[in-house]
Amino acid sequence: MSTLKVYNSYTREKEEFQSGTPGHVGMYVCGPTVSGESHLGHARPYITFDVVYRYLTHLGYKVRYVRNITDAGHFEEEGREAEDKISKKAVLEKLEPMELVQKYTNLFHWAMERFNTVPPSIEPTATGHIVEQIEMIKDLITKGYAYEVNGSVYFDVQQYAAGHDYGKLSGRVLEELLTTTRDLEGQEEKRNKEDFALWKSAPPEHIMRWQSPWGEGFPGWHIECSAMATKYLGTRFDIHGGGMDLQFPHHESEIAQSHICNGVEPVRYWMHNNMITINGRKMGKSYNNVIKLTELFSGDHPELEKAYAPMTVRFFILQTHYRSTLDFSNEALQAAEKGLKRLMEPYAWFKALELPVTDGGSDPELDKKVRSLLVELDDFMNDDFNTARVLANLFELVPVLNSFKDKVLPIASLSFETLQWMQTKLKLYVEDILGLRNESSADDGKLKGVLDILIGLRKEARSNKDWKTSDAIRNQLAAIGIQLKDEKDGEMSWTVA
């Protein structure tokens, strides 16, 4: 079996994965800012790193997966340093800030459950780790890499860059930052324009505030993740994940802070998923194309032709390698919907099949082809979690399954060992690693129960030569997209059109 290779954003190379502690993996993924509803762009990183978590677990690692909740405000470094999104939204919605936080945290968890993501091992909140953040800031000041001005504390980027490789992750050069940084409000109290806030003094109208050695204020965005990652994963851990839009300034700042406080580069492998565009355009409020997950599931958005099921969205995301741009469109989602159905229907049939013990007579070429496709599943996942190629192989197996299902080929065309292996391998990849499921299984069970009753009534009508009732049941079901078919043995089957 091939060994796992991971593309490291820091070195820009695929590297053989080796955890710092044999048999254990520490993974930190930047979680949501719960100042509003999660949107389509949030779906990609959490589904991507859910698959990474699932696969590492399958490989036998004991994974500690930490995904934070940013609930202590969330000011941007570029221009709105004193704006706390959560405080502002709380005023607009006439809610207590933590009431707002709970509302949107619950909605985020609801969406993640519908996407069938495995909950993280630890889900720390920024507000629950103010003490750790303050201690880290004090350490940065003591070591000469941070300074206080008017109750706010800033990280001295030039001081750090003098002896460290600042900008390596994002590919940005400090000299370029100095010439391109805009003149923004509040810049005058910094030593250098590119310095970022570790702690901000809270103005009187600011709702969320904490006591600190520098007065009442609130933490910077970047220090939150450094403090929580260090607390739960140690000074150096294996994987740090997130969207590529976080490389700068967020992850670059994390590296600088953590490196100074802990004396070591914090992360062994940086992993970043690419962006989702909508009809070729970046998602943004100015384009009016930000699609909330509740809107995606309900179809209630101008960009949407219909509602899309969570599993369709998950499948759509996994069809493309996580480092490639993914363009959302109704056509793409509807194609994914059909593709998912084309995979899941024969898979569900084959999973439930009681395998016959075959005694020879298999087709050696077909047997060899199937085994080769199954072996490659591991190779593709080991090649930087290439779910796109995994799904391509699964679709090559679909015609084989359909040929068995439709009795075009006998099951004995494959050896019993290959059939057993295929059943096991498909369950592993479809459900356990890719996390796909038939989300309508409960509804299907109820539908089957209702149809069994109607089929029974139709059989009774036919036995009584009540053709009018028999035809009425068949025609009315056909009108709502359910086709009844009379079989030769007097039984009836049904399909949803």
Side-chain angles (χ1 to χ4, degrees):
M1 181 176 168
S2 56
T3 55
L4 175 62
K5 288 186 170 61
V6 175
Y7 181 84
N8 189 344
S9 303
Y10 194 72
T11 61
R12 292 168 179 75
E13 291 180 357
K14 275 186 196 176
E15 301 174 2
E16 185 174 327
F17 180 77
Q18 292 183 327
S19 62
T21 304
H24 294 257
V25 170
M27 181 169 78
Y28 187 94
V29 175
C30 290
T33 299
V34 286
S35 59
E37 282 193 49
S38 297
H39 54 70
L40 176 60
H42 295 136
R44 193 172 194 188
Y46 305 129
I47 289 172
T48 294
F49 290 101
D50 179 61
V51 171
V52 171
Y53 181 29
R54 287 167 175 269
Y55 190 64
L56 289 169
T57 302
H58 158 66
L59 292 180
Y61 289 105
K62 183 174 175 55
V63 184
R64 176 175 283 183
Y65 173 19
V66 181
R67 187 185 67 204
N68 72 298
I69 296 284
T70 297
D71 63 345
H74 185 228
F75 58 83
E76 303 292 345
E77 295 307 321
E78 288 297 315
R80 293 190 306 218
E81 291 172 306
E83 179 184 307
D84 179 336
K85 290 184 178 180
I86 289 174
S87 291
K88 187 175 180 182
K89 195 77 179 286
V91 171
L92 290 173
E93 295 198 22
K94 295 182 172 58
L95 296 171
E96 283 291 328
M98 294 314 292
E99 191 176 0
L100 184 89
V101 161
Q102 194 62 54
K103 171 185 172 181
Y104 290 123
T105 300
N106 290 345
L107 266 175
F108 171 72
H109 287 153
W110 170 81
M112 292 304 107
E113 187 177 335
R114 297 203 69 192
F115 282 135
N116 197 28
T117 62
V118 181
S121 317
I122 302 173
E123 192 174 56
T125 63
T127 55
H129 297 79
I130 299 295
V131 171
E132 288 85 353
Q133 292 168 69
I134 289 173
E135 288 303 310
M136 196 169 241
I137 295 167
K138 285 161 65 176
D139 189 34
L140 289 168
I141 292 173
T142 300
K143 289 175 177 173
Y145 287 88
Y147 57 93
E148 182 264 335
V149 184
N150 301 326
S152 294
V153 182
Y154 297 96
F155 186 88
D156 191 331
V157 171
Q158 285 197 34
Q159 172 72 12
Y160 177 78
H164 303 85
D165 197 355
Y166 184 77
K168 182 175 177 180
L169 176 69
S170 59
R172 302 200 181 200
V173 179
L174 184 58
E175 287 70 24
E176 291 176 4
L177 295 175
L178 289 170
T179 57
T180 58
T181 302
R182 294 175 292 156
D183 289 325
L184 301 167
E185 183 183 347
Q187 291 283 351
E188 65 280 352
E189 69 180 18
K190 297 182 183 181
R191 287 180 187 167
N192 314 294
K193 287 182 178 180
E194 71 279 6
D195 293 350
F196 57 85
L198 298 166
W199 186 266
K200 283 296 292 182
S201 175
E205 69 276 9
H206 200 90
I207 302 172
M208 298 183 85
R209 56 206 297 137
W210 291 266
Q211 286 291 343
S212 80
W214 318 286
E216 283 196 354
F218 54 97
W221 173 26
H222 315 311
I223 197 70
E224 297 173 0
C225 286
S226 284
M228 289 184 278
T230 300
K231 177 165 183 173
Y232 295 110
L233 297 174
T235 58
R236 184 164 167 80
F237 55 95
D238 298 303
I239 295 173
H240 194 316
M244 65 182 296
D245 56 323
L246 297 178
Q247 285 186 339
F248 186 88
H250 186 46
H251 290 161
E252 203 73 77
S253 302
E254 274 192 67
I255 291 171
Q257 300 163 159
S258 298
H259 196 171
I260 294 303
C261 285
N262 300 326
V264 64
E265 289 277 359
V267 178
R268 298 168 69 85
Y269 306 92
W270 284 91
M271 292 180 65
H272 293 93
N273 64 274
N274 213 318
M275 299 293 97
I276 290 182
T277 55
I278 297 183
N279 296 317
R281 289 195 305 185
K282 183 181 177 182
M283 260 199 313
K285 290 179 182 176
S286 58
Y287 297 125
N288 193 32
N289 66 355
V290 174
I291 303 174
K292 298 173 185 174
L293 294 178
T294 51
E295 295 170 334
L296 190 62
F297 300 156
S298 68
D300 186 20
H301 189 280
E303 292 277 355
L304 300 174
E305 292 177 4
K306 54 174 284 188
Y308 295 102
M311 278 303 105
T312 297
V313 179
R314 185 179 179 106
F315 178 79
F316 167 69
I317 287 170
L318 297 180
Q319 274 186 305
T320 301
H321 190 270
Y322 76 90
R323 287 191 288 112
S324 300
T325 305
L326 179 60
D327 189 50
F328 171 96
S329 67
N330 283 284
E331 293 75 19
L333 258 290
Q334 286 163 31
E337 192 172 55
K338 290 175 183 172
L340 179 62
K341 184 178 179 183
R342 192 159 64 89
L343 172 65
M344 294 304 282
E345 284 185 353
Y347 164 69
W349 172 83
F350 187 63
K351 178 188 173 184
L353 183 68
E354 188 172 336
L355 296 177
V357 179
T358 56
D359 52 356
S362 63
D363 179 340
E365 283 302 311
L366 181 62
D367 208 81
K368 181 181 177 182
K369 177 188 174 183
V370 166
R371 295 184 77 86
S372 175
L373 289 168
L374 294 174
V375 166
E376 286 177 340
L377 296 176
D378 297 335
D379 294 336
F380 296 149
M381 277 304 286
N382 283 333
D383 184 17
D384 194 30
F385 308 98
N386 198 331
T387 58
R389 296 194 69 183
V390 166
L391 282 168
N393 265 36
L394 293 178
F395 276 109
E396 284 201 53
L397 290 166
V398 164
V400 178
L401 298 179
N402 281 331
S403 67
F404 294 156
K405 182 172 176 278
D406 298 335
K407 299 180 181 176
V408 175
L409 280 178
I411 294 283
S413 298
L414 293 179
S415 68
F416 182 64
E417 290 75 16
T418 300
L419 287 168
Q420 273 190 317
W421 190 35
M422 182 160 63
Q423 225 174 31
T424 302
K425 203 79 169 175
L426 289 182
K427 160 71 168 60
L428 170 67
Y429 270 89
V430 173
E431 296 184 35
D432 301 343
I433 293 173
L434 298 182
L436 299 171
R437 67 183 178 192
N438 183 356
E439 58 195 336
S440 61
S441 56
D443 291 338
D444 285 352
K446 291 175 185 176
L447 176 63
K448 182 178 182 301
V450 171
L451 284 168
D452 284 347
I453 293 169
L454 289 171
I455 287 171
L457 291 172
R458 187 165 181 262
K459 280 182 180 177
E460 187 178 337
R462 286 167 68 85
S463 67
N464 293 333
K465 295 186 168 45
D466 182 359
W467 311 118
K468 183 179 178 181
T469 300
S470 170
D471 290 347
I473 291 171
R474 184 190 62 206
N475 294 340
Q476 287 177 43
L477 285 173
I480 61 169
I482 297 172
Q483 303 292 333
L484 283 185
K485 183 181 178 184
D486 295 318
E487 305 289 353
K488 291 178 182 177
D489 56 5
E491 292 300 312
M492 298 176 202
S493 61
W494 58 272
T495 56
V496 179

